[in-house]
Amino acid sequence: MTYLDANATTPPDPRVVEAMIPFLTLHFGNASASHAAGRKARRAVEAARSQVATAIQARPDEIVFTSGATESINSVLLFAQQQWPARPLLIISTVEHAAVIEGALRWEQCGGRVKRVPVDTNGLVRLDALKAALEPGQTALVSMIWANNETGVVSPMSEIVALAHEAGALVHADAVQMVGKLPVDVDAMPVDYLSLSAHKMHGVKGCGALFVSRRVPFSALLIGGGQEFGRRSGTENVPGIVALGKAAELAGEVSTHDLAVLRDEFERYLIVGWPGAVIHGGSSDRLPNTTSICLPGVDSAAMLILLDQRCIACSGGSACHTSLLHPSHVLEAMGFDAKHASSTLRFSLSRMNTRDEVMAAAAEVIRTARHILEQRDALSSPVEFT
Ligand code: PLP
């Protein structure tokens, strides 16, 4: 299989699997236990905390391990609303992941207000609209996706942070698609909270982290045994955490440049092969691995089935949407209509892909699209009865 769906999930790096296996077999101790097996697990968790902190230039005590980014995001939103009742406003963008969208709906159900800042046709958050939305003294939190999972468009995070802080609001960055693909430095980019996920960076599913800046408060969503220094109760997923630590260490190895060169070559092939093709966010800063492309006239649902049969894994938007026949809210927010969205495919590469397989996939995509068009034309031509 040629796997081009890394924004949905990445294949675990074999070195990550190798690092975690001993913690599924030999070193199974509970990290809270005081005996040798427990101490071994504790040391591994703390080593992983340092690895994750180093990957984003944070301090180890600013990292809280969670079950994934959905939990990290939920924790921040619920905490902020509870902590600052006198500041009822939450600001998000119109191109967030479902975890933030649903979290914002709950914020409203609990009596808060939410403003959703639009993006432009390139998928960039409109800073003028953000500035107008911010109500100093009323805004508890600005939660923004740092790099978009569907288009790869990278948000103007320094401007977002500066505007939010000027208005006295804190910032949560959904950095799930950033970490491991582009450098993240929370010292240089002073976000207050940041969510990341292991399975998007060649770790394993069911593990993630929340960065909480030492400058800001936080209290646990999950309470009980007081693990994670009281910030997230529940017995630690030691193998998953070890895997996340290793994945974070390896993230530094990724050559953003090489990935971008390959992605650009892939895109050029598609653009030449399909006149009228549109790359979403093509003129914005984008992740080096993501191509969201509209092939006008081609039904992406049919493409997904045929490409799957031809052993190419990609997606028709965000993975969370594939079971729903609803146009992507991200493309809608960028001003594209349902017809355009229904001809859109997302390809997301990773460091595990080779040039040969990626370019062979590009050729197969064009072949498949032509095949669909030929079939459609054959069906619509009049049948002559004799
Ligand atoms: N945020 C973004 C931008 C994502 O792409 C995803 C996963 O698709 C999430 C949040 C949720 O991450 P997790 O799968 O770790 O819960």
Side-chain angles (χ1 to χ4, degrees):
M1 174 177 63
T2 301
Y3 185 77
L4 303 179
D5 203 16
N7 287 6
T9 196
T10 47
D13 189 299
R15 292 166 291 177
V16 163
V17 177
E18 195 188 334
M20 78 184 287
I21 280 177
F23 293 89
L24 289 164
T25 52
L26 282 179
H27 312 308
F28 54 81
N30 185 322
S32 300
S34 59
H35 48 60
R39 292 198 306 275
K40 176 90 188 164
R42 167 60 47 206
R43 278 196 298 278
V45 168
E46 296 318 315
R49 199 185 306 282
S50 294
Q51 288 167 311
V52 173
T54 303
I56 59 168
Q57 310 303 322
R59 290 196 330 202
D61 62 359
E62 293 175 310
I63 302 297
V64 182
F65 289 119
T66 63
S67 65
T70 297
E71 182 191 322
S72 303
I73 292 166
N74 274 268
S75 303
V76 174
L77 266 53
L78 285 165
F79 165 74
Q81 187 163 35
Q82 207 172 50
Q83 179 75 5
W84 295 292
R87 291 197 254 153
L89 181 60
L90 166 70
I91 298 181
I92 65 171
S93 79
T94 48
V95 292
E96 297 299 318
H97 182 267
V100 171
I101 296 175
E102 293 292 318
L105 287 174
R106 183 162 56 193
W107 183 290
E108 287 173 322
Q109 285 154 10
C110 294
R113 287 190 292 128
V114 177
K115 288 187 181 171
R116 295 165 178 86
V117 178
V119 296
D120 62 20
T121 50
N122 293 314
L124 286 170
V125 169
R126 282 192 27 214
L127 294 170
D128 57 333
L130 172 61
K131 200 169 175 180
L134 280 160
E135 294 175 29
Q138 288 289 297
T139 316
L141 191 70
V142 174
S143 181
M144 293 268 161
I145 194 161
W146 196 337
N148 192 275
N149 46 311
E150 293 191 30
T151 59
V153 170
V154 176
S155 299
M157 198 48 83
S158 5
E159 287 86 349
I160 291 170
V161 171
L163 285 171
H165 283 174
E166 207 178 289
L170 298 185
V171 177
H172 165 250
D174 174 351
V176 167
Q177 300 291 346
M178 274 292 280
V179 181
K181 296 188 186 112
L182 286 175
V184 172
D185 178 341
V186 292
D187 239 4
M189 185 75 76
V191 296
D192 302 291
Y193 307 95
L194 176 150
S195 296
L196 61 90
S197 179
H199 75 101
K200 308 285 186 178
M201 49 192 282
H202 304 284
V204 295
K205 294 157 193 69
C207 189
L210 174 65
F211 157 80
V212 179
S213 162
R214 55 193 173 276
R215 299 180 304 272
V216 297
F218 179 70
S219 65
L221 165 65
L222 299 186
I223 52 173
Q227 289 89 345
E228 290 296 286
F229 310 100
R231 295 173 142 196
R232 198 274 184 184
S233 286
T235 302
E236 293 91 339
N237 169 7
V238 180
I241 289 171
V242 168
L244 172 54
K246 188 69 186 172
E249 183 192 300
L250 297 175
E253 273 185 357
V254 182
S255 166
T256 299
H257 174 75
D258 291 353
L259 205 51
V261 167
L262 179 55
R263 190 274 313 270
D264 291 349
E265 195 180 345
F266 174 76
E267 281 185 359
R268 270 196 303 277
Y269 191 100
L270 298 185
I271 289 167
V272 170
W274 204 262
V278 178
I279 306 281
H280 304 116
S283 56
S284 306
D285 256 1
R286 271 187 305 154
L287 292 174
N289 77 320
T290 309
T291 296
S292 169
I293 188 166
C294 171
L295 303 174
V298 180
D299 176 25
S300 59
M303 281 291 280
L304 287 178
I305 294 168
L306 290 178
L307 289 175
D308 188 30
Q309 284 168 1
R310 293 161 194 197
C311 299
I312 295 171
C314 62
S315 127
S318 146
C320 314
H321 294 154
T322 48
S323 59
L324 301 173
L325 283 176
H326 190 270
S328 141
H329 71 285
V330 174
L331 295 177
E332 236 172 14
M334 290 167 74
F336 296 108
D337 61 18
K339 186 160 178 276
H340 182 99
S342 71
S343 294
T344 291
L345 292 168
R346 179 191 70 182
F347 301 92
S348 42
L349 282 50
S350 80
R351 64 173 187 255
M352 303 282 195
N353 291 121
T354 64
R355 181 183 175 278
D356 284 354
E357 67 171 352
V358 169
M359 296 316 294
E364 191 58 63
V365 169
I366 295 300
R367 252 195 310 276
T368 307
R370 286 188 186 139
H371 172 75
I372 289 176
L373 233 56
E374 280 159 18
Q375 295 289 307
R376 196 192 62 189
D377 292 347
L379 283 173
S380 60
S381 49
V383 180
E384 285 181 20
F385 294 99
T386 53

